[in-house]
Amino acid sequence: MGAASPALESRRWKKPPFIRRAWLRWTLALGVAFYLALALGTTEVNWTRVWDGLPRGVQFFAAFFPPDFKTRWGEILEGISESLWMTVVSTAVGIAISIPVGIGAAKNMVPAPVYYFCRAILAVSRSFQEVILAIFFVKLFGFGPFAGCVTLVVATVGFYGKLLAEDIEDTAPAQAEAIRATGASWLQWINYGIQPQVMPRIIGLGLYRFDINFRESAVVGIVGGGGIGATLNTAFDRYEFDSAAAILLVIIGIVMLVEYSSGAIRRWVQ
Amino acid sequence: MAVAGTQVWRRRDPLMQFAVWAAWLLGTAIFVYCWGEISDRTIWAFVTDAPTQAADLGARMVPPDWGFIKTLGRPLWDTLNMATLGTAMAIVIAVPVAYCAARNTTPSMTLVRPVALFVIVSSRSINSLIWALMLVTIVGPGVFAGILAIGLRSIGFCAKLLYEAIEEIDESQVEAVRATGASRAQVTAYGIVPQVMPAFAGISVFRWDINIRESTVLGLVGAGGIGLPLNGAITTLAWTRVSLILLVIVAAVVAGEWISAKVRHAII
């Protein structure tokens, strides 16, 4: 101890900050603080209404113990099976459409005009939230599961086509080249050169999309697109929290089931 | 043309080929059944009428009512706030949940981990619109319900990706910190946090970008934001305003995606 300690003190190791440039760090911190103050300051919260609603919230969570499956069981069953039909049909049709679109949107497969055309299709189908699409399709096709199906098909094409295209762009060119060197036609080239490379991943993505479509099918019903969403909306409107809790539990249960079985299928495929 | 005795190359052996055929048959049967049920519940007259309807609607939507844009500033600001504050809330809750759910950091495999996983699954299974529907009846309509809805939906997403990132860390670094005699909290702070920090920042920005898109529709069930004027315009059949709001939404979503891509690029 003594005279050497200040020098030693200053050489003590300090944890390096996550953002190295000091000015950037301070600008970001100040900016975030400023934004938060502004956002929290302009957000209007009606605390008396929140306070009044709390007993209702307690009531809602109490409704989970036990949830009421019985009273509305017929409607729940009808809604859930409609959701499942919509999920199956929209996933299958959506994937069937997104395969040609996805191939067209891969840079290494097609000439530039086709590429830009397919990329445009993907960009358009991805730009709107499912619910907004559903509102318009319900307007066009009338109430019911058909409008919901079309919505989910469009959403599936945007999601699946984009990921498929990226996957095809990432394939190893050597294998595809080898197939082409045997004199294979364009279709054979796709079938034997590209498809085996992307297959495991696109099956996984298909199952994942099935899962998403089921969850989304619960939402399109709120705006009239068929499925369990309509039943759920009615339950909330009638303040039948015990039925709503039952519906939510059924949805959670099916999502868990789909997730576990898709994990099993993925392991089996790979 | 195969000479007897020589084998011709086939992609699959017969049993495998049969399994593939059976799977296709089963899949097709399920699809046809589901389609039949949906078709029974569809009024086809409306569907065949759709092209005329679409043309009619399209004609009514142009030109967009540009003057209306002045009133959209506030709802757009609310939408941005719902997405940002909701994401912030989700992150604060998701970090401890992810810590409890990751195999290598959880305090207890038998007790805490299943609970954390259940929190993640239930938050993820329920769409933010349904959360909003629920919260509007509980805390009343407005931005607050929207923030909570976005937050509750995002916990599962952030926690899932974060705990997967924690499980993938390099154990040897943790081992090295532990070997210096560090406490459990110090091991977390110096061994784990620096490794997952880039993934964590990336996940947050990614979810923020998704939340911008999600929060544009929460107004439809009364939770504030740009969905509120959209709902109003649709119910009053003011189609020129609808088209303007849709353009604003697309611009907001594209801007959000651009910012998120830039930030993620800067982090990685």
Side-chain angles (χ1 to χ4, degrees):
Chain A
M1 285 304 180
S5 85
L8 270 180
E9 201 65 26
S10 66
R11 280 183 56 210
R12 264 184 77 159
W13 180 80
K14 264 203 286 191
K15 205 177 157 193
F18 181 57
I19 301 167
R20 277 202 191 80
R21 280 164 290 181
W23 64 268
L24 185 67
R25 195 163 65 234
W26 287 107
T27 324
L28 271 179
L30 273 178
V32 167
F34 181 67
Y35 168 76
L36 277 183
L38 205 62
L40 292 173
T42 53
T43 302
E44 286 156 15
V45 183
N46 185 353
W47 289 110
T48 47
R49 173 65 184 82
V50 173
W51 185 251
D52 288 345
L54 282 184
R56 207 178 272 164
V58 172
Q59 215 180 12
F60 176 71
F61 283 105
F64 276 95
F65 312 98
D68 179 12
F69 288 97
K70 285 213 189 73
T71 326
R72 303 269 167 213
W73 181 242
E75 284 146 64
I76 295 175
L77 198 66
E78 171 79 23
I80 284 284
S81 32
E82 205 170 87
S83 269
L84 282 172
W85 300 328
M86 281 162 58
T87 312
V88 170
V89 169
S90 60
T91 311
V93 175
I95 291 177
I97 297 176
S98 45
I99 287 173
V101 177
I103 292 175
K107 215 168 202 160
N108 53 350
M109 302 293 290
V110 290
V114 182
Y115 169 75
Y116 287 114
F117 178 70
C118 291
R119 280 281 160 175
I121 294 181
L122 294 182
V124 169
S125 52
R126 264 163 43 82
S127 55
F128 285 113
Q129 227 273 343
E130 280 88 342
V131 178
I132 297 182
L133 288 175
I135 292 175
F136 280 91
F137 287 130
V138 168
K139 277 257 172 337
L140 295 183
F141 299 117
F143 287 98
F146 186 79
C149 265
V150 177
T151 310
L152 294 179
V153 165
V154 172
T156 306
V157 170
F159 171 89
Y160 199 79
K162 180 163 185 273
L163 292 173
L164 179 62
E166 278 164 11
D167 225 33
I168 293 177
E169 283 173 354
D170 284 344
T171 50
Q175 295 181 32
E177 196 64 38
I179 298 293
R180 181 161 267 187
T182 64
S185 69
W186 194 77
L187 278 178
Q188 283 174 322
W189 179 52
I190 300 252
N191 196 2
Y192 292 95
I194 303 292
Q195 193 215 3
Q197 293 193 53
V198 296
M199 209 56 189
R201 219 177 105 78
I202 70 169
I203 289 178
L205 279 176
L207 293 168
Y208 180 48
R209 187 65 219 186
F210 185 86
D211 179 18
I212 298 179
N213 276 349
F214 179 73
R215 276 183 272 156
E216 292 293 332
S217 76
V219 175
V220 294
I222 295 175
V223 292
I228 190 72
T231 326
L232 188 62
N233 200 9
T234 320
F236 276 119
D237 284 347
R238 290 178 181 153
Y239 295 107
E240 288 177 355
F241 289 138
D242 38 4
S243 294
I247 296 174
L248 291 180
L249 285 177
V250 171
I251 293 178
I252 294 176
I254 292 183
V255 169
M256 280 177 103
L257 199 73
V258 170
E259 217 159 85
Y260 276 110
S261 48
S262 72
I265 295 176
R266 245 177 289 179
R267 270 193 296 280
W268 181 71
V269 168
Q270 278 158 8
Chain B
M1 267 187 281
V3 187
T6 46
Q7 279 200 328
V8 179
W9 179 80
R10 288 217 181 98
R11 200 161 162 190
R12 301 186 179 96
D13 58 50
L15 195 69
M16 193 62 197
Q17 186 69 47
F18 179 74
V20 169
W21 274 110
W24 273 105
L25 185 68
L26 187 70
T28 316
I30 293 174
F31 175 79
V32 168
Y33 163 74
C34 293
W35 174 245
E37 291 285 354
I38 287 178
S39 171
D40 285 348
R41 283 165 180 72
T42 305
I43 303 167
W44 286 102
F46 285 152
V47 177
T48 47
D49 191 35
T52 13
Q53 291 281 338
D56 184 42
L57 201 61
R60 283 189 217 185
M61 282 171 81
V62 284
D65 181 3
W66 294 109
F68 191 59
I69 205 162
K70 280 177 240 137
T71 58
L72 289 180
R74 183 64 211 242
L76 203 59
W77 170 245
D78 282 344
T79 304
L80 177 71
N81 286 342
M82 288 198 302
T84 315
L85 298 177
T87 313
M89 172 191 146
I91 291 168
V92 171
I93 302 175
V95 168
V97 173
Y99 186 81
C100 292
R103 271 202 188 83
N104 45 359
T105 54
T106 180
S108 148
M109 275 297 268
T110 47
L111 211 69
V112 180
R113 187 160 188 268
V115 174
L117 288 182
F118 182 75
V119 169
I120 292 174
V121 169
S122 34
S123 152
R124 265 159 43 81
S125 318
I126 301 171
N127 196 290
S128 48
L129 200 68
I130 297 176
W131 279 116
L133 199 66
M134 229 180 319
L135 288 161
V136 165
T137 54
I138 294 175
V139 302
V143 181
F144 188 58
I147 295 173
L148 290 182
I150 292 282
L152 288 172
R153 166 68 181 83
S154 309
I155 291 171
F157 181 91
C158 295
K160 182 177 174 14
L161 292 180
L162 192 59
Y163 96 72
E164 283 168 357
I166 296 177
E167 283 182 354
E168 279 166 15
I169 57 169
D170 179 10
E171 269 309 313
S172 58
Q173 295 185 31
V174 181
E175 196 67 39
V177 177
R178 195 175 291 138
T180 65
S183 70
R184 207 184 150 93
Q186 283 174 322
V187 169
T188 309
Y190 293 93
I192 297 173
V193 171
Q195 291 196 58
V196 296
M197 205 58 198
F200 171 72
I203 293 164
S204 316
V205 179
F206 184 36
R207 187 65 220 186
W208 175 78
D209 162 23
I210 298 175
N211 281 344
I212 292 266
R213 189 185 296 246
E214 300 263 301
S215 57
T216 56
V217 296
L218 294 184
L220 295 170
V221 294
I226 195 137
L228 223 51
L230 178 65
N231 198 21
I234 289 175
T235 43
T236 55
L237 307 178
W239 294 110
T240 51
R241 287 184 180 178
V242 172
S243 55
L244 177 77
I245 296 172
L246 292 183
L247 286 176
V248 171
I249 289 178
V250 170
V253 168
V254 169
E257 232 167 67
W258 185 78
I259 294 172
S260 144
K262 279 278 167 205
V263 173
R264 262 182 295 163
H265 195 74
I267 293 169
I268 301 163

